[in-house]
Amino acid sequence: MKTIDNVSINTDFRAKRQACSQCSLVDLCLPMGLSKEELQQLEELIKQSHSYKEGDFLFRQDDNFKAIYAIRSGMFKSQAVDQQGNERILGFHLPGELVGLDGIYGQHYPSNMIALDTSSVCAVPYNGLMSLTEEIPSLQQQLLRLLSKEINSVNALTYDTSADQRLASFIFSLSKRYEQRGYSGTHFNLVMPRRDIANHLNMAAETISRLFKRMQDKGIITLKRRELSIGDMTELKKIAGCTGIE
């Protein structure tokens, strides 16, 4: 796997200006709710990186914390390795989401961030962002909102539920996240390998394969290689325990 320097950036001003004002993800990311003038200040801070190929590292576990990153396209996975060398997939990250927020406290990134396909990000230098939040209270509020969302996402994954419920919840969550980005919530690609899904949900790969087949046999989903279609959203939500969510 090739490592990309996480401070290698394109400083062309026109490229930076496109980072927010012309981005289709503006309502999902840091710029949400900012005025035109405030948005311009943020655009001058944000730096666009070059693209990342599958397997490239955005940053590595224990790297010094320098920036947070807004995913612009593609998908990344966060992966932590313990002292015994065991890998744990912490999450999968879609366009419009911020990564690296968990590096603020210890000033080191606690996990690897690895591209799952061709992807791009916008880098937000942390020191510059903190200075800007002093001038723009609404930016500070948005950053706190995103930090709270990050905590809730971590807490939402519980292993006290059944394997069926964990997988159904995972699929339903992906559906809602894709829908928020203007994509189909019932037809999308599972970019991540099955083994990564199994690891993330604390299951064996064989269990994931068996559960996918069971859902297909019941007509809840159709899965062809990476292409997933949800055929019965009502039943999926029922298994996931999300029947009250639209």
Side-chain angles (χ1 to χ4, degrees):
M1 292 184 179
K2 186 174 69 173
T3 301
I4 299 293
D5 182 354
N6 69 339
V7 297
S8 177
I9 50 178
N10 179 356
T11 56
D12 179 76
F13 181 73
R14 288 174 298 175
K16 289 191 292 181
R17 284 296 299 267
Q18 294 177 358
C20 299
S21 58
Q22 299 180 26
C23 182
S24 62
L25 302 168
V26 67
D27 290 332
L28 294 172
C29 192
L30 270 173
M32 182 179 177
L34 299 186
S35 69
K36 184 178 179 180
E37 292 74 20
E38 291 169 341
L39 188 59
Q40 184 173 350
Q41 287 180 270
L42 181 61
E43 285 175 340
E44 292 172 0
L45 174 67
I46 289 178
K47 308 177 191 307
Q48 280 186 270
S49 75
H50 49 70
S51 63
Y52 296 80
K53 300 190 298 295
E54 180 182 353
D56 285 347
F57 284 70
L58 174 58
F59 50 77
R60 289 181 180 270
Q61 186 172 335
D62 296 326
D63 279 353
N64 290 332
F65 173 75
K66 295 181 179 180
I68 58 177
Y69 299 87
I71 299 176
R72 199 171 165 85
S73 64
M75 181 184 288
F76 287 82
K77 68 176 178 181
S78 47
Q79 171 211 65
V81 182
D82 65 21
Q83 292 181 344
Q84 287 71 45
N86 300 311
E87 297 181 359
R88 175 69 191 282
I89 305 300
L90 305 177
F92 304 100
H93 311 279
L94 303 182
E97 297 179 347
L98 296 185
V99 296
L101 290 167
D102 51 358
I104 295 174
Y105 173 71
Q107 292 298 292
H108 290 83
Y109 296 107
S111 60
N112 298 310
M113 193 63 60
I114 306 170
L116 286 172
D117 59 359
T118 301
S119 308
S120 63
V121 301
C122 294
V124 189
Y126 182 69
N127 289 338
L129 180 61
M130 288 299 94
S131 296
L132 195 57
T133 58
E134 294 177 4
E135 301 177 32
I136 308 175
S138 57
L139 181 59
Q140 185 180 61
Q141 292 167 9
Q142 172 67 347
L143 182 60
L144 289 172
R145 188 186 73 84
L146 291 170
L147 283 167
S148 177
K149 182 179 179 182
E150 172 104 344
I151 294 168
N152 286 334
S153 296
V154 172
N155 291 340
L157 184 61
T158 172
Y159 301 120
D160 293 334
T161 56
S162 68
D164 297 76
Q165 185 173 352
R166 269 178 273 157
L167 180 57
S169 296
F170 174 76
I171 296 171
F172 180 66
S173 174
L174 272 180
S175 168
K176 299 301 291 183
R177 289 161 70 193
Y178 276 119
E179 209 170 54
Q180 289 173 344
R181 286 150 183 79
Y183 301 114
S184 171
T186 58
H187 189 95
F188 49 86
N189 286 333
L190 288 178
V191 178
M192 63 291 289
R194 303 288 191 276
R195 66 179 180 277
D196 283 354
I197 298 175
N199 183 298
H200 177 54
L201 299 178
N202 199 30
M203 300 182 200
E206 296 78 8
T207 303
I208 286 289
S209 297
R210 186 173 67 253
L211 293 176
F212 272 131
K213 185 177 186 306
R214 184 186 301 171
M215 286 187 180
Q216 288 196 87
D217 291 344
K218 293 181 177 179
I220 299 170
I221 63 168
T222 300
L223 185 60
K224 297 179 180 178
R225 299 178 67 86
R226 291 187 172 189
E227 191 175 324
L228 185 144
S229 297
I230 300 175
D232 190 341
M233 182 65 78
T234 300
E235 186 61 22
L236 180 70
K237 289 165 65 176
K238 181 179 177 182
I239 297 172
C242 301
T243 52
I245 301 175
E246 294 301 326

